[in-house]
Amino acid sequence: GLAADARRGRRIVKSVFVDKVASVAQHSDLSNKLRLSPDIPCEEGVLVAVRVLNNKARYNQLELTSGRMATVTQGDIVVGALGHRKALLGYSGHLPTELGVGDTIQLLNIGGVLGVCDSANPDVGPPFDCEVLGTVLHFPYLGERIGVPARAGAQEFDPGAPLDTQGVPVVALAGTCMDSGKTAAACAIVSRLRHRGLHVAACKATGVSLRRDILAMQDAGAAETTIFSDLGIVTTTAENGPALTRTLLTNLAAEKPDVIVLELGDGLLGAYGVEAILSDASIRDALTAVALCANDPVAAWGGAKILREQFGIEPAVVTGPATDNAVGIDQISERLDLPAINALSNGVALGDHIASVLEGERK
């Protein structure tokens, strides 16, 4: 609790000037001069400052709190959040059990998640190694120099959160894998529904902290956007996925939009909790339409099979790279009896199809 955090924070050892604050620390309102404690609680979401030890030619950027991408170089002092990651196409790593000043950890993603790397995909090369400088402190007690560890998030996470969409329809995007075109499809749908005069809200419920996707949805016309890291969750899991999704949908529904677009990051088979979310009856009942994003026709077949047989969900449409040309579209149409519409080349048609599903539900 706060008292324990305060006790830890009394031994302030140094001030540092930081070069880059990662977007995972979005809600902490940090300046570039920070006070650090040598006592480091190894808990997900705790903000730490590190010094980057190596240079990288690939996967070498950090998303800042401004949303801009900045190139990271050797010697940079960076603020990120402790966490874990289990990515098929990136780094996989775990939360350390203990950590001291001078220890080495790795930067696990572009959003600023820091942990111990266990495995790297060859496409991204080895990660940035980082020397731990200390826990970032903030000072919540007015007039007192008691620092407590700063943490990611704007709202405390409630594992027992109920769901109340207030009747607002929800369009979900589920993918077969990372990079299956979910955000492109979400943006095409947001944009078209916005052009049709609807007030659209959007959120991302699973993955590892990175604001890029909801920023893209904002750019596409979403009036309100939110992501799991707003709740202090650095990386989603089967354990926290359902409750955080209920919270995000309830929060957005309170803004009285006409529709909520919900991106489920990663894939139907993955470590970030998509299966657990779709297994939650209250969430499933709130979904008006589910768009399946697939990399290829076999993935589309498998994704449709999982949605239909495991969750009783009939996909409204298939999109993603599987629909990049007529070959995939024809296969999906013939074998799955589903419409297949490409988000990049035919985004208006994709949005109109979703709009027709929403109108059909309202009748």
Side-chain angles (χ1 to χ4, degrees), residues 133-306:
L133 301 179
T135 304
V136 175
L137 296 177
H138 75 132
F139 297 85
Y141 306 115
L142 201 61
E144 290 192 48
R145 300 304 295 152
I146 297 174
V148 302
R151 293 170 188 265
Q155 176 187 345
E156 203 157 322
F157 173 59
D158 174 11
L163 174 61
D164 183 6
T165 58
Q166 302 185 38
V168 177
V170 179
V171 177
L173 294 107
T176 57
C177 182
M178 284 174 69
D179 298 339
S180 57
K182 294 181 294 292
T183 305
C187 290
I189 292 166
V190 167
S191 175
R192 184 57 181 161
L193 295 181
R194 174 74 190 81
H195 286 151
R196 291 175 68 111
L198 298 184
H199 172 177
V200 186
C203 61
K204 184 171 181 183
T206 58
V208 185
S209 298
L210 186 65
R211 302 190 77 83
R212 180 175 60 195
D213 293 350
I214 60 162
L215 290 172
M217 292 186 235
Q218 213 169 300
D219 292 344
E224 297 89 19
T225 57
T226 184
I227 184 171
F228 54 86
S229 53
D230 294 336
L231 306 176
I233 292 163
V234 172
T235 304
T236 64
T237 63
E239 288 70 41
N240 59 30
L244 72 87
T245 303
R246 294 193 297 268
T247 304
L248 296 179
L249 291 176
T250 300
N251 287 353
L252 287 178
E255 303 291 333
K256 301 282 195 292
D258 295 313
V259 60
I260 297 169
V261 174
L262 163 69
E263 181 184 334
L264 298 170
D266 192 39
L268 287 166
L269 300 179
Y272 292 139
V274 177
E275 282 181 284
I277 290 166
L278 294 178
S279 296
D280 184 300
S282 66
I283 296 171
R284 219 169 39 241
D285 291 346
L287 302 181
T288 314
V290 176
L292 174 63
C293 302
N295 290 63
D296 58 69
V298 175
W301 180 87
K305 187 176 173 68
I306 289 170

